[in-house]
């Protein structure tokens, strides 16, 4: 017989924070996950899901022992859209909770016990607002006017948003002008229920260095009328390039389709990071929070402990930001990525910054490293920044059979990070674990782990 039933209300004491920022309590030994609940609070919870090993509940009210870190959210859309999930917590405590999330991940997924001193305090921001330099916004109609928003946390319903206080103001102002213009000329928004229409998403990226804004319209299908109207978006203040991308795959996780091309204006916008310039295509990966990225790369540099004669491999290099930064302090850097456009961008960025000792290659990491080893290029340090899914099985196996002296692992997912470190535990010692807050107001936490060969 089930311990709990759907819609049952219970009194629950929250014991800790889960790896997704939710509160966790126990009802007759069954774990219950509750969004927006904080440790030590006594909460009235309505059960929404019941599974064999856990249940999910909705916070009705905090009955007693309100956590002193609880605060009023600054955003009127908080708890409606799925963008942020820790805005009910003061920022100092957010940083502590993110350290706890990292520690909890290693407790759950790392085979061995770790000294508590390995876990450093989370590096935060002085002003944890208006930091995102890129936005991907779904488009809908609202009373015959085009609007954008973010999806609700629990379903695919779009929450219309006039302003998002974690996005840069220039992006928000530009988005409003774009919506007004496209509405005036009756551009047709895609309707997911009818599976008809044209405009699916607006993607905007802005440069802190130049003030330039890059606009990409994601269309459900090619449409000459929409493209003709879109070309005039180049006249909006600060917009220097307008792209079109066709994506009819409604199940695709990535907004951009296979065919993304420049409609008018410049091909790239220029951004500066740690004194280096980077030319960015709309499809290129680039960190969304420049202030924290600079701190992150300084942590990477510190962990590398370079003397000037090291050979470094920059795995999952993207447009080459980490590799270009480290090249100043090393003998040679070689970057690897499977995205051909990113590698073209990375080599162009190395040339732009007059970097002669950094080069970037498209291909499989294990195959390229093996080839280079045979040619006499043996890396001293492997810097890796993989996607949320972490290292794949093939790369784990390669590192188990071809260990380098040191791995500096940058991760945006503490769970896969801990699992990967556990896979490498027999060959590597963990020297430090440094959390960093790349996305304030959310439960996401970036982390840098230094591993040295035993």
């Amino acid at each position: 017989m089930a311990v709990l039933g759907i819609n049952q209300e219970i009194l629950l004491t929250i014991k800790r924070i889960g790896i997704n920022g939710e509160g966790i309590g126990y009802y007759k030994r069954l774990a219950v996950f509750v969004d927006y609940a904080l440790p030590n609070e006594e909460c009235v919870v309505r059960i929404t899901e019941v599974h064999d090993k856990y249940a999910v509940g909705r916070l009705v009210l905090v009955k007693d022992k309100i956590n002193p870190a609880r605060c009023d959210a600054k955003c009127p859309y908080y708890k409606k859209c799925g963008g942020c999930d820790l805005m009910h917590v003061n920022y100092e405590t957010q940083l502590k909770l993110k350290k706890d999330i990292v520690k909890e991940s290693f407790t759950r997924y790392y085979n061995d016990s770790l000294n508590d001193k390995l876990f450093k305090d989370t590096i935060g921001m002085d002003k944890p607002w208006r930091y995102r330099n890129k936005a991907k916004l779904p488009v809908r109609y609202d009373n015959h006017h085009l609007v954008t928003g973010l999806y609700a946390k629990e379903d695919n319903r779009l929450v219309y948003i006039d302003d998002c206080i974690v996005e840069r103001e220039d992006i928000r102002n530009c988005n409003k002008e774009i919506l007004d213009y496209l509405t005036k000329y009756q551009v047709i928004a895609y309707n997911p229920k009818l599976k008809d229409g044209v405009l699916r998403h607006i993607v905007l990226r802005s440069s802190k260095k130049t003030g330039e804004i890059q606009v990409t319209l994601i269309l459900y299908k090619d449409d000459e009328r929409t493209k003709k109207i879109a070309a005039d978006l180049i006249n909006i203040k600060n917009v220097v390039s307008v792209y079109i991308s066709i994506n009819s795959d409604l199940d695709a996780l990535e907004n951009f389709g296979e065919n993304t091309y420049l409609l008018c204006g410049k091909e790239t916008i220029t951004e500066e990071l740690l004194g280096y310039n980077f030319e960015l295509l709309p499809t290129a990966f680039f960190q969304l929070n420049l202030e924290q990225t600079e701190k992150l790369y300084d942590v990477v540099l510190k962990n590398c402990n370079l003397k000037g004669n090291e050979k470094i491999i920059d795995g999952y290099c993207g447009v080459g930001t980490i590799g270009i930064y480290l090249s100043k302090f090393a003998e040679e850097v070689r970057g690897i990525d499977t995205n051909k456009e990113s590698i073209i961008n990375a080599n162009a960025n190395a040339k732009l910054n007059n970097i002669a000792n950094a080069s970037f290659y498209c291909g499989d990491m294990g195959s390229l490293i093996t080839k280079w080893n045979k040619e006499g290029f043996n890396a001293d340090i492997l810097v890796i920044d993989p996607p949320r899914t972490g290292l794949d099985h093939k790369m784990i196996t390669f590192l188990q059979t071809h260990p380098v002296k040191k791995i500096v692992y940058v991760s945006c997912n503490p769970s896969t990070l801990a699992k990967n470190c556990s896979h490498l535990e027999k060959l590597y010692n963990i020297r430090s674990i440094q959390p960093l807050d790349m996305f304030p107001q959310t439960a996401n936490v970036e982390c840098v782990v230094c591993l040295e060969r035993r």
Side-chain angles (χ1 to χ4, degrees):
M1 183 178 177
V3 175
L4 290 169
I6 302 296
N7 291 325
Q8 180 181 344
E9 288 194 359
I10 61 172
L11 187 63
L12 189 71
T13 299
I14 303 301
K15 298 295 185 182
R16 59 185 176 87
I17 285 289
I19 59 177
N20 297 308
E22 72 278 54
I24 301 177
Y26 295 88
Y27 185 83
K28 296 182 180 179
R29 297 185 178 181
L30 184 70
V32 182
F33 297 85
V34 188
D35 285 337
Y36 313 116
L38 296 175
N40 302 317
E41 292 182 336
E42 290 187 358
C43 304
V44 177
V45 175
R46 181 177 293 116
I47 302 301
T48 57
E49 298 177 31
V50 179
H51 304 271
D52 290 340
K53 295 183 178 180
Y54 70 95
V56 178
R58 179 170 294 155
L59 180 65
V60 177
L61 63 91
V62 181
K63 188 177 177 65
D64 197 9
K65 298 180 181 179
I66 296 176
N67 192 306
R70 183 176 286 279
C71 64
D72 293 329
K74 291 185 177 183
C75 177
Y77 306 102
Y78 187 58
K79 296 186 181 180
K80 296 176 183 176
C81 90
C84 297
D85 34 34
L86 283 182
M87 212 178 279
H88 60 289
V89 187
N90 68 47
Y91 189 59
E92 182 182 358
T93 304
Q94 285 187 35
L95 299 179
K96 293 177 181 177
L97 291 178
K98 293 191 179 191
K99 180 180 179 180
D100 290 342
I101 288 171
V102 173
K103 291 175 72 173
E104 174 63 21
S105 297
F106 275 86
T107 298
R108 289 183 63 183
Y109 299 117
Y110 190 73
N111 283 337
D112 205 354
S113 59
L114 291 171
N115 189 320
D116 200 56
K117 292 182 180 179
L118 291 174
F119 295 91
K120 311 301 181 184
D121 292 338
T122 308
I123 298 171
M125 296 184 73
D126 293 331
K127 296 178 180 179
W129 309 98
R130 299 290 185 190
Y131 57 83
R132 288 186 68 102
N133 57 32
K134 186 177 181 181
K136 295 181 180 181
L137 304 169
V139 184
R140 297 287 189 275
Y141 282 117
D142 184 28
N143 294 327
H144 306 292
H145 195 284
L146 292 175
V147 295
T148 54
L150 294 170
Y151 292 112
K153 190 168 186 175
E154 297 176 356
D155 54 43
N156 209 30
R157 178 177 52 86
L158 192 69
V159 179
Y160 304 152
I161 294 174
D162 291 325
D163 186 24
C164 175
I165 56 177
V166 298
E167 290 173 2
R168 285 172 51 99
E169 286 184 283
D170 58 349
I171 283 179
R172 273 290 143 187
N173 293 336
C174 182
N175 186 59
K176 184 179 184 304
E177 286 194 56
I178 289 171
L179 291 172
D180 288 344
Y181 185 83
L182 297 182
T183 298
K184 178 181 176 181
Y185 289 96
Q186 299 180 338
V187 167
I188 303 170
Y190 176 74
N191 186 320
K193 291 182 179 178
L194 300 177
K195 295 186 177 181
D196 192 25
V198 180
L199 180 59
R200 292 182 61 189
H201 294 82
I202 298 173
V203 183
L204 302 104
R205 173 184 267 155
S206 74
S207 166
K208 184 178 180 180
K209 176 182 173 67
T210 64
E212 297 170 326
I213 295 178
Q214 192 176 62
V215 177
T216 305
L217 300 187
I218 311 291
L219 307 184
Y220 176 63
K221 57 188 176 183
D222 201 1
D223 184 80
E224 291 301 322
R225 178 179 175 274
T226 300
K227 289 191 292 186
K228 186 175 180 181
I229 294 168
D232 287 333
L233 297 178
I234 198 73
N235 297 316
I236 292 176
K237 182 181 178 181
N238 296 330
V239 173
V240 297
S241 62
V242 179
Y243 275 81
I244 294 293
S245 186
I246 312 298
N247 188 354
S248 59
D249 184 358
L250 303 181
D251 297 322
L253 296 176
E254 178 55 65
N255 293 108
F256 291 98
E258 291 183 10
N259 185 15
T260 300
Y261 58 90
L262 181 67
L263 188 64
C264 57
K266 298 167 57 179
E267 281 195 353
T268 61
I269 61 172
T270 306
E271 187 57 280
E272 183 180 317
L273 185 63
L274 290 162
Y276 296 98
N277 289 324
F278 294 91
E279 297 291 340
L280 303 175
L281 293 164
T283 52
F285 171 78
F286 194 77
Q287 294 284 6
L288 301 175
N289 184 336
L290 288 189
E291 179 184 330
Q292 291 301 90
T293 299
E294 294 196 344
K295 295 176 186 177
L296 174 71
Y297 288 6
D298 279 339
V299 172
V300 172
L301 176 62
K302 182 180 177 181
N303 279 291
C304 286
N305 191 27
L306 300 173
K307 308 300 181 187
N309 59 349
E310 292 86 359
K311 296 175 181 177
I312 300 174
I313 290 175
D314 177 13
Y316 310 91
C317 66
V319 297
T321 51
I322 294 180
I324 286 172
Y325 176 54
L326 295 179
S327 66
K328 181 180 177 180
F329 309 95
E331 179 182 317
E332 185 179 355
V333 175
R334 295 187 184 185
I336 305 171
D337 203 291
T338 56
N339 186 304
K340 186 180 293 185
E341 275 194 351
S342 292
I343 292 301
I344 293 170
N345 222 177
N347 282 308
N349 286 324
K351 186 176 181 180
L352 177 69
N353 289 282
N354 299 312
I355 304 296
N357 64 334
S359 50
F360 301 91
Y361 303 82
C362 184
D364 173 71
M365 201 180 309
S367 300
L368 282 172
I369 295 174
T370 301
K371 176 177 177 289
W372 294 339
N373 283 348
K374 291 177 180 178
E375 295 171 351
F377 180 88
N378 297 300
D380 302 290
I381 301 169
L382 174 64
V383 178
I384 46 176
D385 187 2
R388 288 189 63 82
T389 49
L391 300 176
D392 60 28
H393 179 73
K394 185 178 180 181
M395 192 60 203
I396 290 288
T397 302
F398 178 84
L399 288 173
Q400 288 170 336
T401 54
H402 300 77
V404 296
K405 294 176 185 176
K406 181 184 287 186
I407 299 173
V408 180
Y409 191 146
V410 181
S411 171
C412 60
N413 186 335
S415 296
T416 55
L417 171 65
K419 291 174 184 177
N420 288 168
C421 287
S422 189
H423 293 143
L424 299 171
E425 182 260 340
K426 290 183 179 180
L427 290 173
Y428 292 91
N429 287 318
I430 292 178
R431 294 304 185 194
S432 66
I433 301 171
Q434 177 64 71
L436 182 138
D437 191 18
M438 189 66 75
F439 301 107
Q441 319 309 327
T442 77
N444 295 317
V445 54
E446 203 87 3
C447 198
V448 181
V449 173
C450 181
L451 302 106
E452 290 186 352
R453 190 168 65 196
R454 291 183 185 274

